[in-house]
């Protein structure tokens, strides 16, 4: 076990973590960022981003993630590809345990581990990679000229369903209510799109197929009527769940497992901050994640200075 004492350890390399890294590097803190899978976070699986300022024509999620990463690297942020497995937190010393078995210590921590897509728990696990997907950008091209089901009614479900229509013959967009939650501009585009058919007031109850998805079963929540859609794929966008396994009970969370913070992004442990999708916040977007991270990085800098 090696121990290096950092001013700040950032957990997660999505928009929030990279922004915190940009601020901490410019403040010349002794900082390191740990990322478990791929820097960029959820942004790199988003097709197109048009609500993040600075890109008047929009930008692909992949390009935006890469730009954020390059900006952080150019400012000298050290990034290590390692997952954090657990934390030991006290007011004076924080220990961060890593996948490799190594541990590091820090005066402050910013938790920016984001969130992962929620599942439906209707047996879709067996069809992961065999028709079930959470990422249109990654998997959309595999469904060229096929029929797919998409599930959800928020921004992500509608935006990604529109993207799917570049490839597929038809998208059945199944939503449990009779109206969408998505931004009006996305709704207008979806309603104009001939390839999208809405299946209102309905939930997916299961799926079948010999080797891959062939049938998606749905139930109308108002009439209880059961029906089946013949489809080769099922894209699921019904919300997110926070990536907090490694946090265990060391920080206070809300009933859904998102980490509680105050307006300075301070958690229940002094010197530990939570930012972006992993924290309790009314809006989970890139713009809010980077805003949280800027606040937390400056707060962490002041905290370390004050020790
Ligand atoms: C398909 C899709 C489309 C979207 N479209 C838009 C859009 O158009 N506009 C918009 O504003 N937002 C959009 N969003 C939401 C936006 O991507 C998120 O709000 C944003 O990425 C949150 O940033 P974050 O840094 O908090 O978390 P994330 O992006 O989730 O990044 C967290 C990072 O932490 C890493 N991590 C997790 N656990 C650990 C660990 N134990 N150790 C180390 N690293 C760890 C993860 O691998 C990940 O890279 C979209 C999301 C999706 C899925």
């Amino acid at each position: 076990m090696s121990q290096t004492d950092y001013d700040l350890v950032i957990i997660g390399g999505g928009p929030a973590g990279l922004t915190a890294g940009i601020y901490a590097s410019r403040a010349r803190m002794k900082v390191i960022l740990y990322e478990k899978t791929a820097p960029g976070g959820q942004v790199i699986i988003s097709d197109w981003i048009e609500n993040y300022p600075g890109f008047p024509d929009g930008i692909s999620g992949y390009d935006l993630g890469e730009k954020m990463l390059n900006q952080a690297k150019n400012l000298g942020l050290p990034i290590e590809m390692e997952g954090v497995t657990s934390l030991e937190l006290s007011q004076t010393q924080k220990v961060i345990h890593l996948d490799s078995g190594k541990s590091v210590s820090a005066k402050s921590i910013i938790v920016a581990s984001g969130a992962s897509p929620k599942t439906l728990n209707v047996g879709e696990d067996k069809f992961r990679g065999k028709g079930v997907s959470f990422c249109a950008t990654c998997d959309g091209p595999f469904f060229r000229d096929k029929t797919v089901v998409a599930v959800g009614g928020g921004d992500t479900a509608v935006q990604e369903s529109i993207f799917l229509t570049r490839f597929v013959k038809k998208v059945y967009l199944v939503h449990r209510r009779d109206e969408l939650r998505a931004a009006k501009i996305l709704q207008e585009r979806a309603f104009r799109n001939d390839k999208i058919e809405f299946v209102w007031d309905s939930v997916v109850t299961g799926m079948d197929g010999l080797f891959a998805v062939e049938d998606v079963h749905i139930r109308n929540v108002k009439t209880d009527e059961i029906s089946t859609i013949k489809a080769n794929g099922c894209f699921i966008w019904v919300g997110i769940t926070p990536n907090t396994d490694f946090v265990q009970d060391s920080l206070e969370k809300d009933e859904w497992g998102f980490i509680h913070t105050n307006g300075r992004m301070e958690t229940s442990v002094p010197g530990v901050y939570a930012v972006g999708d992993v924290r309790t916040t009314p809006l989970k977007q890139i713009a809010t994640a980077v805003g949280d991270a800027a606040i937390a990085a400056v707060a962490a800098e002041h905290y370390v200075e004050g020790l």
Side-chain angles (χ1 to χ4, degrees), residues 129-162:
K130 295 174 186 160
V132 167
S133 173
F134 301 85
C135 176
T137 316
C138 326
D139 299 327
F142 297 125
F143 294 88
R144 199 171 288 280
D145 299 326
K146 307 257 198 262
T147 295
V148 298
V149 166
V151 194
D155 280 352
T156 300
V158 175
Q159 166 94 49
E160 300 299 300
S161 294
I162 295 167

Side-chain angles (χ1 to χ4, degrees), residues 150-275:
V151 194
D155 280 352
T156 300
V158 175
Q159 166 94 49
E160 300 299 300
S161 294
I162 295 167
F163 173 70
L164 280 175
T165 61
R166 290 194 205 171
F167 312 100
V168 303
K169 191 166 64 185
K170 178 150 194 152
V171 179
Y172 288 98
L173 184 44
V174 176
H175 183 41
R176 64 189 162 149
R177 301 212 172 82
D178 59 4
E179 59 181 1
L180 300 169
R181 267 184 300 110
K184 288 283 184 285
I185 189 170
L186 294 175
Q187 296 195 23
E188 287 159 14
R189 281 180 206 156
F191 292 141
R192 276 202 308 266
N193 192 313
D194 293 341
K195 287 188 176 178
I196 299 179
E197 181 172 331
F198 290 88
V199 184
W200 301 112
D201 299 315
S202 297
V203 292
V204 170
T205 55
M207 48 196 84
D208 280 315
L210 200 51
F211 302 110
V213 173
E214 292 171 23
D215 294 323
V216 178
H217 307 297
I218 57 172
R219 178 175 61 84
N220 184 300
V221 293
K222 286 196 174 148
T223 63
D224 261 347
E225 192 191 336
I226 307 281
S227 56
T228 296
I229 300 173
K230 288 263 166 225
N232 308 95
C234 184
F235 285 81
I236 300 168
W237 293 297
V238 291
I240 53 174
T241 184
N243 297 327
T244 50
D245 284 358
F246 65 95
V247 173
Q248 289 142 0
D249 293 329
S250 57
L251 299 173
E252 273 175 26
K253 297 183 213 147
D254 66 20
E255 57 183 306
W256 297 281
F258 293 92
I259 299 171
H260 268 307
T261 69
N262 61 15
R264 286 164 54 88
M265 309 302 141
E266 292 164 335
T267 66
S268 49
V269 175
V272 181
Y273 305 82
V275 294

